[in-house]
Amino acid sequence: MGLPLFLPNDDPGPSFLGLLERSGKGLVDPTDWPPSGSGLTPHGTTVVAVRHRDGVVMAGDRRATSGNLISHRSIEKVFPADHHSGVAISGSAGVAMEMVRLFQLQLEHYEKVEGKALSLDGKANQLSQMLRSHLPMAMQGLVVIPLFAGYDHRQGLGRLFQFDATGGRYEERDHAATGSGSLHASTVIKLRYKDHMSEDQAVDVVVEALFQAADEDSATGGPDLIRGIYPVVASITASGFERLADGRVADSTTALVESLTGGGSD
Amino acid sequence: MGMPMYVSPEQLMKDRADFARKGIARGRAAVGATYSDGVLFVAENPSNTLRKVSEIYDQIGFVGVGRYNEFDGLRKGGVRHADLKGYTYSREDVDARSLANLYAEYLGQHFTHEQKPMEIELLVGEMGEDPEGDQLFHLLYDGTVMDMSTFAVIGGEADAIRARMEAAWDRTAPLASAVGHAVSALAGPERSLVSDDLEVAVLARSNGRRAFRRIEGNGLDDLLS
């Protein structure tokens, strides 16, 4: 592995993907594959994001499925993208995780080469472009649908973005959800959402949303009290991306279970 | 047809080295030093945008002096090498030693084969998991590479600055006094440097995965006061 130096007219600039291509490590070309490999690979399911007064909370359940089988009970679908943004994934798990890894590297690489981090819109746009270049694989069944959220220092607020398989990017004002349980999760968030919620309230909302999604959707995993597996919940505020401790999520889950069984309601 | 003038190899190398040294001596100096929590970089640099000190990877930093376009190209090459290597293998497989070797190879090649040698000196610093792992690699224009676990000085008037650092450097110094030592070594007895003249950054064990942090503005003023 030599020193990657380029002539000015062939310089990949701050793009890590451009660098990968020039180094012959570009992504595999899927066009020769048989159609639909989707049944063969694990699928990640429900992820949600909710805006609150200090930023955004993102959360994802821990289940991956292959057809009717549970292939993993404790995979993670919520990742830091950089210091002040996060990305959550649903869809073909292996492909999605590789996409997250490349996305994280792309942001860090840009920041180091340029000496300055990308704007939040710039980051969302990068993810869009990665999805668009992934479209041939998506057409063969290996679909990845992420959520992207971050704290925008210029506007002083949390922002969140939804995507589709073609790279379409849709900024949402208050909340977003994707994956097989997203319909049920969205309904819960819609009913519980309040303007200017605190971070704690937003955490309770996403925990309940994932709980209800798991109740209706077999591909979404609920909290596993026996093994101590809880959804991954992360908060992004002006001070950065922070994954909440399992204990914090466990507390919220316990409170939810109590309110559902009538234990804590009066 | 005229005969090309004969120049002995000794003379040719000496001329090239003199040329490079002259170019480097015109620029301001920079210091890299280990301190209690990792590695410190201090460069005299009045520009706020054209950087001499930069982040390469999680625990690797870079300083270049001399011709800006030349060392900045190598800085980018270093970032690209590190990110590619970390992507191909694992983040922990990226190390300063192999990067320093690549730089040395490139500079040596350039020194003998190109029209003119590069008028730069580089410093590659790596923070270890514990103080014993902290390391600095000093690279000269001709590809000479030296490794140090104490401190290194690059750029103009390096000898005088090195002598001053020798007297002041302390492995266990906390950040504020380590910065103080480096700044007064750079300034010398007749001058004093303020935060606007300086570019300061650290690789600190307390910073987590990406250990590189710039210290600027009020934070730097506080350290210098």
Side-chain angles (χ1 to χ4, degrees):
Chain A
M1 205 180 261
L3 198 60
L5 296 171
F6 301 92
L7 294 172
N9 57 9
D10 188 43
D11 196 288
S15 164
F16 185 72
L17 296 171
L19 174 64
L20 272 183
E21 245 165 60
R22 278 171 188 66
S23 317
K25 291 179 194 290
L27 305 179
V28 277
D29 178 13
T31 41
D32 293 341
W33 297 358
S36 187
S38 62
L40 310 169
T41 55
H43 253 66
T45 43
T46 314
V47 291
V48 298
V50 174
R51 203 158 74 86
H52 56 82
R53 63 179 175 228
D54 301 314
V56 184
V57 161
M58 301 183 97
D61 74 305
R62 305 291 291 272
R63 181 171 292 179
T65 55
S66 303
N68 292 326
L69 295 175
I70 295 170
S71 40
H72 301 284
R73 291 173 203 287
S74 61
I75 75 157
E76 306 206 350
K77 307 173 192 176
V78 180
F79 305 90
D82 65 359
H83 287 308
H84 287 100
S85 63
V87 57
I89 45 142
S90 68
S92 191
V95 186
M97 283 180 184
E98 177 65 9
M99 192 181 282
V100 166
R101 198 169 155 233
L102 275 171
F103 182 53
Q104 291 168 328
L105 260 170
Q106 175 81 339
L107 300 187
E108 185 184 324
H109 191 73
Y110 181 99
E111 190 184 330
K112 288 192 292 195
V113 171
E114 291 290 298
K116 186 176 167 233
L118 269 170
S119 66
L120 195 70
D121 286 298
K123 293 173 197 170
N125 189 22
Q126 277 289 307
L127 190 53
S128 246
Q129 288 172 14
M130 290 177 72
L131 281 165
R132 197 171 310 130
S133 64
H134 177 74
L135 187 59
M137 275 168 104
M139 298 296 278
Q140 288 177 322
L142 301 174
V143 184
V144 177
I145 308 285
L147 288 178
F148 175 69
Y151 189 83
D152 190 334
H153 284 273
R154 240 172 283 181
Q155 299 186 21
L157 49 83
R159 295 171 64 192
L160 45 117
F161 299 85
Q162 216 160 5
F163 298 84
D164 65 28
T166 65
R169 175 169 88 256
Y170 314 97
E171 178 162 7
E172 299 294 334
R173 227 178 68 87
D174 300 323
H175 55 83
T178 176
S180 61
S182 60
L183 197 65
H184 302 285
S186 283
T187 309
V188 173
I189 297 173
K190 215 150 82 185
L191 293 172
R192 295 275 188 246
Y193 183 84
K194 284 188 222 70
D195 276 334
H196 305 292
M197 273 193 304
S198 69
E199 179 187 291
D200 282 343
Q201 287 171 310
V203 170
D204 290 341
V205 171
V206 296
V207 167
E208 184 174 359
L210 289 175
F211 185 92
Q212 296 297 354
D215 204 32
E216 298 295 331
D217 171 34
S218 63
T220 302
D224 187 336
L225 302 174
I226 299 165
R227 297 184 182 84
I229 299 169
Y230 295 94
V232 174
V233 183
S235 179
I236 307 158
T237 60
S239 50
F241 179 102
E242 191 203 344
R243 183 182 163 168
L244 301 187
D246 272 352
R248 169 79 187 78
V249 183
D251 289 347
S252 178
T253 305
T254 313
L256 173 67
V257 171
E258 267 173 24
S259 79
L260 289 174
T261 51
S265 62
D266 41 24
Chain B
M1 204 178 89
M3 284 277 284
M5 198 167 56
Y6 174 75
V7 183
S8 74
E10 288 86 355
Q11 188 60 40
L12 188 71
M13 289 301 133
K14 190 179 167 302
D15 287 353
R16 284 174 174 247
D18 286 346
F19 173 83
R21 267 199 292 265
K22 249 183 248 166
I24 294 160
R26 274 196 293 272
R28 295 165 215 256
V31 171
T34 53
Y35 76 105
S36 60
D37 197 27
V39 179
L40 164 73
F41 304 107
V42 181
E44 194 181 341
N45 184 3
S47 168
N48 219 352
T49 43
L50 302 177
R51 306 285 198 187
K52 289 182 174 174
V53 183
S54 303
E55 173 185 18
I56 294 277
Y57 208 63
D58 293 352
Q59 71 289 12
I60 304 175
F62 172 99
V63 192
V65 293
R67 243 178 206 284
Y68 177 78
N69 65 320
E70 291 180 350
F71 72 70
D72 199 57
L74 288 183
R75 173 189 71 87
K76 279 187 213 159
V79 170
R80 286 172 179 156
H81 167 77
D83 278 350
L84 272 178
K85 195 172 175 190
Y87 173 73
T88 313
Y89 305 110
S90 132
R91 295 199 82 93
E92 51 197 290
D93 296 314
V94 180
D95 62 336
R97 187 188 49 81
S98 78
L99 181 61
N101 282 334
L102 278 178
Y103 280 150
E105 227 171 274
Y106 181 80
L107 287 166
Q109 188 81 1
H110 203 96
F111 182 75
T112 41
H113 293 284
E114 296 293 325
Q115 283 280 330
K116 76 162 199 68
M118 288 196 145
E119 299 159 72
I120 58 172
E121 266 184 83
L122 306 179
L123 208 56
V124 179
E126 180 173 44
M127 179 199 82
E129 263 171 50
D130 40 51
E132 285 72 46
D134 294 345
Q135 209 150 29
L136 291 158
F137 294 92
H138 178 177
L139 290 127
L140 300 187
Y141 52 87
D142 63 353
T144 306
V145 52
M146 294 163 276
D147 72 312
M148 251 115 13
S149 56
T150 53
F151 66 88
V153 182
I154 56 174
E157 301 184 34
D159 290 337
I161 298 169
R162 200 169 291 129
R164 290 194 284 268
M165 271 304 279
E166 194 88 53
W169 177 80
D170 172 10
R171 181 79 190 79
T172 58
L175 183 61
S177 51
V179 171
H181 295 156
V183 171
S184 44
L186 280 171
E190 271 114 55
R191 298 189 307 155
S192 66
L193 295 170
V194 294
S195 60
D196 280 348
D197 309 321
L198 295 164
E199 195 184 338
V200 180
V202 290
L203 296 165
R205 269 176 279 280
S206 49
N207 284 346
R209 176 172 76 81
R210 277 175 79 182
F212 185 90
R213 290 282 186 291
R214 294 188 183 283
I215 302 173
E216 39 198 2
N218 293 339
L220 183 54
D221 286 330
D222 291 348
L223 279 181
L224 292 173
S225 61

